[in-house]
Amino acid sequence: MSKLTTKARKAIPKSEFGLPGKRAYPMPDKAHAANAKARATQAVKAGRMSESTKSKIDAKANKILGTKGKK
């Protein structure tokens, strides 16, 4: 996964984040999309995130990854 600097992160449009309102879970490329899915899964297991929020992140990541389903 490529390094995402602070400057590069600030340049990413809100639409490329898993949670645009919070500018959380950036997905500028496939590697970051896969990472966002993994981190969202960890957050649900730790009780920091709801399943519905995770589903939104997964759906956005799946579009970037070109996959269907929950993988």
Side-chain angles (χ1 to χ4, degrees):
M1 178 170 40
S2 64
K3 177 78 171 157
L4 188 59
T5 64
T6 302
K7 184 177 180 179
R9 183 184 170 95
K10 287 181 179 180
I12 297 172
K14 284 177 116 178
S15 62
E16 289 188 22
F17 284 85
L19 296 176
K22 294 183 178 181
R23 292 186 62 87
Y25 300 93
M27 299 184 209
D29 54 35
K30 288 184 177 188
H32 281 89
N35 189 295
K37 287 182 68 162
R39 299 306 139 239
T41 298
Q42 287 178 337
V44 169
K45 288 181 181 179
R48 296 186 311 263
M49 180 182 290
S50 69
E51 277 290 336
S52 64
T53 301
K54 178 188 173 298
S55 295
K56 291 176 188 177
I57 293 168
D58 286 349
K60 183 151 205 153
N62 287 341
K63 286 180 184 178
I64 294 167
L65 295 169
T67 59
K68 294 180 182 178
K70 295 185 177 184
K71 287 189 176 183

Coordinates of all heavy atoms in Angstrom, one line a residue:
M1 N 0.9 -1.2 0.0 CA 0.0 0.0 0.0 C 0.9 1.2 0.0 O 1.9 1.3 0.7 CB -0.9 0.0 1.2 CG -1.8 1.2 1.3 SD -3.1 1.1 2.6 CE -2.3 0.4 4.0
S2 N 0.5 2.2 -0.8 CA 1.3 3.4 -0.9 C 1.1 4.3 0.4 O 0.0 4.2 1.0 CB 0.9 4.2 -2.1 OG -0.4 4.6 -2.0
K3 N 2.1 5.0 0.7 CA 2.0 5.9 1.9 C 1.1 7.1 1.5 O 1.2 7.7 0.5 CB 3.4 6.4 2.2 CG 3.5 7.4 3.3 CD 3.4 6.7 4.7 CE 3.7 7.7 5.7 NZ 3.2 7.3 7.0
L4 N 0.2 7.4 2.4 CA -0.7 8.5 2.2 C -0.3 9.6 3.2 O -0.5 9.5 4.4 CB -2.2 8.1 2.5 CG -3.3 9.0 2.2 CD1 -3.3 9.4 0.7 CD2 -4.6 8.4 2.5
T5 N 0.3 10.6 2.7 CA 0.8 11.7 3.5 C -0.4 12.6 3.9 O -1.5 12.5 3.3 CB 1.8 12.6 2.7 OG1 1.1 13.2 1.6 CG2 3.0 11.8 2.2
T6 N -0.1 13.5 4.9 CA -1.2 14.4 5.3 C -1.6 15.3 4.2 O -2.8 15.5 4.0 CB -0.6 15.2 6.5 OG1 -0.2 14.4 7.5 CG2 -1.7 16.2 7.0
K7 N -0.7 15.8 3.4 CA -1.0 16.7 2.3 C -1.9 15.9 1.3 O -2.9 16.5 0.8 CB 0.3 17.2 1.6 CG 0.1 18.2 0.5 CD 1.4 18.7 0.0 CE 1.2 19.7 -1.1 NZ 2.4 20.2 -1.6
A8 N -1.5 14.7 0.9 CA -2.3 13.9 0.0 C -3.7 13.6 0.5 O -4.6 13.6 -0.2 CB -1.5 12.6 -0.4
R9 N -3.7 13.3 1.8 CA -5.0 12.9 2.4 C -6.0 14.1 2.3 O -7.2 14.0 2.1 CB -4.8 12.5 3.9 CG -6.1 12.1 4.5 CD -5.9 11.7 6.0 NE -7.1 11.6 6.7 CZ -7.7 10.4 7.0 NH1 -7.1 9.3 6.5 NH2 -8.8 10.4 7.6
K10 N -5.4 15.3 2.6 CA -6.3 16.5 2.6 C -6.7 16.8 1.2 O -7.8 17.5 1.0 CB -5.5 17.7 3.1 CG -5.3 17.7 4.6 CD -4.6 18.9 5.2 CE -4.5 18.8 6.7 NZ -3.8 19.9 7.3
A11 N -6.0 16.4 0.2 CA -6.3 16.6 -1.2 C -7.4 15.7 -1.8 O -8.0 15.9 -2.8 CB -5.1 16.6 -2.1
I12 N -7.6 14.6 -1.0 CA -8.6 13.6 -1.5 C -10.0 14.2 -1.3 O -10.4 14.7 -0.2 CB -8.5 12.3 -0.7 CG1 -7.2 11.7 -0.9 CG2 -9.6 11.3 -1.0 CD1 -6.9 10.5 0.0
P13 N -10.9 14.1 -2.3 CA -12.3 14.6 -2.2 C -13.0 13.8 -1.1 O -12.8 12.6 -1.0 CB -12.9 14.5 -3.5 CG -11.9 13.7 -4.4 CD -10.6 13.6 -3.6
K14 N -14.0 14.4 -0.5 CA -14.8 13.7 0.5 C -15.5 12.4 0.0 O -15.6 11.4 0.7 CB -15.9 14.6 1.0 CG -15.5 15.6 2.0 CD -16.7 16.5 2.4 CE -16.9 16.4 3.9 NZ -18.0 17.2 4.3
S15 N -15.8 12.4 -1.3 CA -16.4 11.3 -1.9 C -15.6 10.0 -2.0 O -16.1 8.9 -2.2 CB -16.9 11.6 -3.4 OG -15.7 11.9 -4.2
E16 N -14.3 10.1 -1.7 CA -13.4 9.0 -1.7 C -13.1 8.4 -0.4 O -12.2 7.6 -0.2 CB -12.1 9.3 -2.4 CG -12.2 9.5 -3.9 CD -10.9 9.7 -4.7 OE1 -9.9 9.2 -4.1 OE2 -10.9 10.2 -5.8
F17 N -13.9 8.8 0.6 CA -13.8 8.3 2.0 C -14.9 7.4 2.3 O -16.0 7.5 1.8 CB -13.8 9.4 3.0 CG -12.5 10.2 3.1 CD1 -12.3 11.3 2.2 CD2 -11.5 9.9 4.0 CE1 -11.1 12.0 2.3 CE2 -10.3 10.6 4.1 CZ -10.1 11.6 3.2
G18 N -14.7 6.3 3.1 CA -15.7 5.4 3.5 C -16.8 6.1 4.3 O -17.9 5.8 4.3
L19 N -16.3 7.0 5.2 CA -17.2 7.9 6.0 C -17.0 9.3 5.6 O -16.2 10.0 6.3 CB -17.0 7.6 7.5 CG -17.3 6.2 8.0 CD1 -17.0 6.1 9.5 CD2 -18.8 5.8 7.7
P20 N -17.6 9.8 4.6 CA -17.3 11.2 4.1 C -17.5 12.3 5.1 O -16.7 13.2 5.2 CB -18.2 11.4 2.9 CG -18.8 10.1 2.6 CD -18.6 9.2 3.8
G21 N -18.5 12.2 6.0 CA -18.7 13.2 7.0 C -17.6 13.4 8.0 O -17.3 14.4 8.4
K22 N -16.9 12.3 8.2 CA -15.8 12.3 9.2 C -14.5 12.3 8.5 O -13.4 12.3 9.1 CB -15.9 11.0 10.1 CG -17.1 11.0 11.0 CD -17.0 9.8 11.9 CE -18.1 9.7 12.9 NZ -18.1 8.5 13.7
R23 N -14.5 12.1 7.1 CA -13.3 12.0 6.3 C -12.4 10.9 6.9 O -11.2 10.9 7.0 CB -12.5 13.3 6.3 CG -13.2 14.4 5.5 CD -12.4 15.6 5.3 NE -11.2 15.4 4.5 CZ -11.1 15.5 3.2 NH1 -12.1 15.7 2.5 NH2 -9.9 15.3 2.6
A24 N -13.1 9.7 7.2 CA -12.5 8.6 7.7 C -12.5 7.4 6.7 O -13.4 7.4 5.8 CB -13.2 8.1 9.0
Y25 N -11.5 6.6 6.8 CA -11.4 5.4 5.9 C -11.2 5.9 4.4 O -12.0 5.6 3.5 CB -12.6 4.5 6.0 CG -12.8 3.9 7.4 CD1 -13.6 4.5 8.3 CD2 -12.0 2.8 7.8 CE1 -13.7 4.0 9.6 CE2 -12.2 2.3 9.1 CZ -13.0 2.9 10.0 OH -13.1 2.4 11.2
P26 N -10.0 6.5 4.2 CA -9.8 7.0 2.8 C -9.6 5.8 1.8 O -9.0 4.8 2.2 CB -8.5 7.8 3.0 CG -7.8 7.2 4.2 CD -8.9 6.8 5.1
M27 N -10.1 6.0 0.6 CA -10.0 4.9 -0.4 C -9.5 5.5 -1.7 O -10.3 5.4 -2.7 CB -11.3 4.2 -0.5 CG -11.8 3.5 0.7 SD -13.3 2.6 0.4 CE -14.1 2.7 2.1
P28 N -8.3 6.0 -1.8 CA -7.9 6.6 -3.1 C -7.4 5.5 -4.1 O -7.3 5.8 -5.3 CB -6.7 7.5 -2.7 CG -6.2 6.8 -1.5 CD -7.4 6.3 -0.8
D29 N -7.2 4.3 -3.6 CA -6.8 3.2 -4.5 C -7.3 1.8 -3.9 O -7.9 1.8 -2.8 CB -5.3 3.2 -4.6 CG -4.5 3.2 -3.3 OD1 -5.0 2.5 -2.3 OD2 -3.5 3.8 -3.2
K30 N -7.0 0.7 -4.6 CA -7.5 -0.6 -4.2 C -6.9 -1.0 -2.8 O -7.5 -1.6 -2.0 CB -7.2 -1.6 -5.2 CG -8.1 -1.5 -6.5 CD -7.8 -2.6 -7.5 CE -8.8 -2.4 -8.6 NZ -8.7 -3.6 -9.5
A31 N -5.6 -0.7 -2.6 CA -4.9 -1.1 -1.4 C -5.6 -0.4 -0.2 O -5.8 -1.1 0.8 CB -3.4 -0.8 -1.4
H32 N -5.9 0.8 -0.3 CA -6.6 1.5 0.8 C -8.0 1.1 1.0 O -8.5 1.0 2.1 CB -6.5 3.1 0.6 CG -5.2 3.7 0.9 ND1 -4.2 3.8 0.0 CD2 -4.7 4.2 2.1 CE1 -3.2 4.3 0.6 NE2 -3.5 4.6 1.8
A33 N -8.7 0.7 -0.1 CA -10.0 0.2 0.0 C -10.0 -1.2 0.8 O -10.9 -1.4 1.7 CB -10.6 0.0 -1.4
A34 N -9.1 -2.0 0.5 CA -9.0 -3.3 1.2 C -8.7 -3.1 2.6 O -9.2 -3.7 3.5 CB -7.9 -4.2 0.5
N35 N -7.8 -2.1 2.9 CA -7.4 -1.8 4.3 C -8.6 -1.2 5.0 O -8.8 -1.6 6.2 CB -6.3 -0.8 4.3 CG -5.7 -0.6 5.7 OD1 -6.4 -0.1 6.5 ND2 -4.4 -1.0 5.8
A36 N -9.4 -0.4 4.4 CA -10.6 0.2 5.0 C -11.6 -0.9 5.5 O -12.1 -0.9 6.6 CB -11.3 1.2 4.1
K37 N -11.7 -1.9 4.6 CA -12.6 -3.0 5.0 C -12.1 -3.8 6.2 O -12.9 -4.1 7.1 CB -12.8 -4.0 3.8 CG -13.6 -3.5 2.6 CD -13.7 -4.5 1.5 CE -14.6 -5.7 2.0 NZ -15.1 -6.5 0.9
A38 N -10.8 -4.0 6.2 CA -10.2 -4.7 7.3 C -10.3 -4.0 8.6 O -10.7 -4.5 9.7 CB -8.7 -5.0 7.0
R39 N -10.1 -2.7 8.6 CA -10.1 -1.8 9.8 C -11.6 -1.7 10.3 O -11.8 -1.7 11.5 CB -9.6 -0.4 9.5 CG -8.1 -0.3 9.2 CD -7.2 -1.0 10.1 NE -6.2 -1.7 9.3 CZ -5.9 -3.0 9.3 NH1 -6.6 -3.8 10.1 NH2 -5.0 -3.5 8.6
A40 N -12.5 -1.6 9.3 CA -14.0 -1.6 9.7 C -14.4 -2.9 10.4 O -15.1 -2.8 11.4 CB -14.8 -1.3 8.5
T41 N -13.9 -4.0 9.9 CA -14.2 -5.3 10.6 C -13.6 -5.3 12.0 O -14.3 -5.7 12.9 CB -13.6 -6.4 9.7 OG1 -14.2 -6.4 8.4 CG2 -13.9 -7.8 10.4
Q42 N -12.4 -4.8 12.1 CA -11.8 -4.8 13.5 C -12.6 -3.9 14.4 O -12.8 -4.2 15.6 CB -10.4 -4.3 13.4 CG -9.4 -5.2 12.8 CD -8.0 -4.7 12.7 OE1 -7.8 -3.5 12.7 NE2 -7.0 -5.5 12.7
A43 N -13.1 -2.7 13.9 CA -13.8 -1.8 14.7 C -15.1 -2.4 15.2 O -15.6 -2.2 16.3 CB -14.1 -0.5 14.0
V44 N -15.8 -3.2 14.3 CA -17.1 -3.8 14.7 C -16.8 -4.9 15.8 O -17.5 -4.9 16.8 CB -17.7 -4.5 13.5 CG1 -18.9 -5.4 13.9 CG2 -18.3 -3.4 12.5
K45 N -15.8 -5.7 15.6 CA -15.4 -6.7 16.6 C -15.1 -6.1 18.0 O -15.3 -6.7 19.0 CB -14.3 -7.6 16.1 CG -14.7 -8.5 15.0 CD -13.6 -9.4 14.5 CE -14.0 -10.3 13.4 NZ -13.0 -11.1 12.9
A46 N -14.5 -4.9 17.9 CA -14.1 -4.2 19.2 C -15.2 -3.4 19.8 O -15.1 -2.8 20.9 CB -12.9 -3.3 18.9
G47 N -16.4 -3.3 19.0 CA -17.5 -2.6 19.5 C -17.5 -1.1 19.3 O -18.2 -0.4 19.9
R48 N -16.6 -0.7 18.4 CA -16.5 0.8 18.2 C -17.3 1.2 17.0 O -17.4 2.4 16.7 CB -15.0 1.2 17.9 CG -14.1 0.9 19.1 CD -12.7 1.5 18.8 NE -12.2 1.0 17.6 CZ -11.3 0.0 17.4 NH1 -11.0 -0.8 18.5 NH2 -10.9 -0.4 16.2
M49 N -17.9 0.3 16.3 CA -18.6 0.6 15.0 C -19.8 -0.3 14.9 O -19.7 -1.5 15.2 CB -17.7 0.5 13.8 CG -18.3 0.8 12.5 SD -17.2 0.5 11.1 CE -16.0 1.9 11.4
S50 N -20.9 0.2 14.3 CA -22.1 -0.7 14.1 C -21.9 -1.4 12.8 O -21.2 -1.1 11.9 CB -23.3 0.2 14.0 OG -23.3 1.0 12.9
E51 N -22.7 -2.5 12.7 CA -22.7 -3.3 11.4 C -23.2 -2.5 10.2 O -22.7 -2.6 9.1 CB -23.6 -4.5 11.6 CG -22.9 -5.7 12.3 CD -21.8 -6.4 11.4 OE1 -21.8 -6.3 10.2 OE2 -20.9 -7.0 12.1
S52 N -24.1 -1.6 10.5 CA -24.7 -0.8 9.3 C -23.6 0.2 8.8 O -23.5 0.4 7.6 CB -25.9 0.0 9.8 OG -25.6 0.9 10.8
T53 N -22.8 0.7 9.7 CA -21.7 1.6 9.3 C -20.7 0.8 8.5 O -20.2 1.3 7.5 CB -21.1 2.4 10.5 OG1 -22.1 3.1 11.1 CG2 -20.0 3.3 10.0
K54 N -20.3 -0.3 9.0 CA -19.4 -1.2 8.3 C -19.9 -1.6 6.9 O -19.1 -1.6 6.0 CB -19.1 -2.5 9.2 CG -18.2 -3.5 8.5 CD -18.2 -4.8 9.3 CE -17.4 -5.8 8.6 NZ -17.9 -6.2 7.3
S55 N -21.2 -1.8 6.8 CA -21.8 -2.2 5.5 C -21.6 -1.1 4.5 O -21.3 -1.3 3.3 CB -23.3 -2.5 5.7 OG -23.4 -3.7 6.5
K56 N -21.7 0.2 4.9 CA -21.5 1.3 4.1 C -20.1 1.4 3.6 O -19.8 1.6 2.4 CB -21.9 2.6 4.8 CG -23.4 2.8 5.1 CD -23.6 4.0 5.8 CE -25.1 4.1 6.3 NZ -25.3 5.3 7.1
I57 N -19.1 1.2 4.5 CA -17.7 1.2 4.1 C -17.4 0.0 3.2 O -16.7 0.2 2.2 CB -16.9 1.1 5.4 CG1 -17.0 2.4 6.2 CG2 -15.4 0.9 5.0 CD1 -16.4 2.3 7.6
D58 N -17.9 -1.2 3.5 CA -17.7 -2.3 2.6 C -18.3 -2.1 1.2 O -17.6 -2.5 0.2 CB -18.3 -3.6 3.2 CG -17.5 -4.1 4.4 OD1 -16.4 -3.6 4.7 OD2 -18.1 -5.0 5.1
A59 N -19.4 -1.5 1.1 CA -20.1 -1.3 -0.2 C -19.2 -0.4 -1.0 O -19.0 -0.6 -2.2 CB -21.5 -0.7 0.0
K60 N -18.7 0.7 -0.4 CA -17.9 1.6 -1.2 C -16.6 1.0 -1.6 O -16.1 1.1 -2.7 CB -17.6 2.9 -0.3 CG -16.8 3.9 -1.0 CD -17.2 5.2 -0.5 CE -16.9 6.3 -1.5 NZ -17.7 7.4 -1.4
A61 N -16.0 0.2 -0.7 CA -14.7 -0.5 -1.0 C -14.9 -1.5 -2.1 O -14.1 -1.7 -2.9 CB -14.2 -1.1 0.3
N62 N -16.0 -2.2 -2.0 CA -16.3 -3.2 -3.0 C -16.4 -2.6 -4.4 O -16.0 -3.2 -5.4 CB -17.6 -4.0 -2.7 CG -17.4 -5.0 -1.6 OD1 -16.2 -5.3 -1.2 ND2 -18.5 -5.4 -0.9
K63 N -16.9 -1.4 -4.5 CA -17.0 -0.7 -5.8 C -15.6 -0.5 -6.4 O -15.3 -0.6 -7.5 CB -17.8 0.6 -5.7 CG -19.2 0.4 -5.6 CD -19.9 1.8 -5.5 CE -21.4 1.6 -5.2 NZ -22.1 2.9 -5.1
I64 N -14.7 0.0 -5.5 CA -13.3 0.3 -5.9 C -12.6 -1.0 -6.2 O -11.8 -1.0 -7.2 CB -12.6 1.1 -4.7 CG1 -13.3 2.4 -4.6 CG2 -11.1 1.2 -5.0 CD1 -12.9 3.2 -3.3
L65 N -12.8 -2.0 -5.4 CA -12.1 -3.3 -5.6 C -12.7 -4.1 -6.8 O -12.1 -5.0 -7.3 CB -12.2 -4.1 -4.3 CG -11.4 -3.6 -3.1 CD1 -11.8 -4.4 -1.9 CD2 -9.9 -3.6 -3.4
G66 N -13.9 -3.8 -7.2 CA -14.5 -4.5 -8.3 C -15.0 -5.9 -7.8 O -15.1 -6.8 -8.6
T67 N -15.4 -6.0 -6.6 CA -15.9 -7.2 -6.0 C -17.3 -7.1 -5.6 O -17.8 -6.0 -5.4 CB -15.1 -7.7 -4.8 OG1 -15.1 -6.7 -3.8 CG2 -13.6 -7.9 -5.2
K68 N -18.0 -8.2 -5.4 CA -19.3 -8.3 -5.0 C -19.4 -9.1 -3.7 O -18.5 -9.9 -3.4 CB -20.3 -9.0 -6.0 CG -20.4 -8.2 -7.3 CD -21.3 -8.9 -8.2 CE -21.4 -8.1 -9.6 NZ -22.2 -8.8 -10.5
G69 N -20.4 -8.8 -2.9 CA -20.5 -9.6 -1.6 C -19.7 -9.0 -0.5 O -19.3 -7.9 -0.5
K70 N -19.5 -9.9 0.5 CA -18.8 -9.5 1.7 C -17.4 -9.8 1.8 O -16.8 -9.7 2.9 CB -19.6 -10.0 2.9 CG -21.0 -9.6 3.0 CD -21.7 -10.1 4.3 CE -23.1 -9.5 4.4 NZ -23.7 -9.9 5.6
K71 N -16.7 -10.2 0.8 CA -15.3 -10.6 0.9 C -14.4 -9.4 0.9 O -14.6 -8.4 0.6 CB -14.9 -11.5 -0.3 CG -15.5 -12.9 -0.2 CD -14.9 -13.7 -1.3 CE -15.4 -15.1 -1.2 NZ -14.9 -16.0 -2.1

